[in-house]
Amino acid sequence: MQYKKHEAKAYARETMRGIWAAALNPFDADGAMNEAGLRSNIRHWIDDLHIQGLFIAGKQGEFWSMSLEERKRNMTVAAEECAGKAGTIMSISDQSVDMVLELGRHAQNCGADYVVVHAPMLSFCHDRDEVLYNYYKYLCDRLDIGIAMWSHPDSGYLMAPETCARIADLPNIMAIKYSVPREMYARLTKMVGHKILVSTSLEDDWLDNIEELKWQLYLCSSPPYQLQSKNDLRMHEYTELAFAGKFDEARRVRDSLDPVREAIKSTKPAGKPTAHGKYWQELLGQVGGHVRHPMLELTDAEKSATAAAFQSCGLRL
């Protein structure tokens, strides 16, 4: 690690900037991790697409289908490929706090920059503020690496802005991926945006959040490597224009991607988001691969519809 525990907030504000993408993991037909494919994707994302950081072993990466050793290896591979070229934030989320700590210590040792921990499922618990504060404090007390909170509907609830603001005072809490309605993340930004980095995964709002909320970080989902190719860097372009204060020009570039967004949205089966994302990667020349159970693969008909939409969406290969 390049910083001490009490420096996590300042280090993150200095180094976490721009577009950070959540990596899908390529699996072979037998379920094995395609490590060479992952390395190839990472190099493409960094060298060709100028993605500035990667979110590893999260929901996009199907972490819930992976063994402890696979998750550790996933982190190590990403840290090796990103070293000196892009940042890494490793998902160490798990219902077992001992598992979270073991993954967190591995992240510290393998060269990760940060970790992210999603809010746990809390059965039968309705007054969550004290529970969540003590959960993150327990982790902060035992890990030296910078920790990002992560709140999303899959936990069965959303962390209240007031709860997040309280947790933000812990020394190595440096960011939050806040997958909530805009009113909630805008309110949290006003409360603690000077302490921690607030972000959400919805690409649709990224430009508005740069302008209106002064955000510096997109953290993170798959659009950075699904809306772009080596010869078509419009997400990167509109981001840099927005950072330069050229918002009208940035909007023109952003809006020009609407046919691509619609092609993805209109062909993505509701029950197969991961398989669709991987097939879209393959159409772009990346390594997509298979999904793991219980996720479902695309049918031939779904692939044909997706390929047709891809061909007409205007992405330049």
Side-chain angles (χ1 to χ4, degrees), residues 62-81:
E62 299 170 79
F63 81 89
W64 34 263
S65 74
M66 300 167 69
S67 70
L68 175 62
E69 291 309 312
E70 285 178 319
R71 293 179 70 180
K72 288 180 177 179
R73 183 61 184 165
N74 196 184
M75 293 180 192
T76 299
V77 168
E80 288 173 355
E81 291 297 331

Side-chain angles (χ1 to χ4, degrees), residues 151-183:
S151 179
H152 53 72
D154 293 0
S155 295
Y157 61 92
L158 298 176
M159 292 172 63
E162 292 76 15
T163 300
C164 298
R166 182 184 179 198
I167 295 169
D169 283 333
L170 294 169
N172 46 327
I173 294 290
M174 31 57 70
I176 181 170
K177 182 179 178 181
Y178 207 23
S179 303
V180 300
R182 194 168 194 268
E183 184 277 330

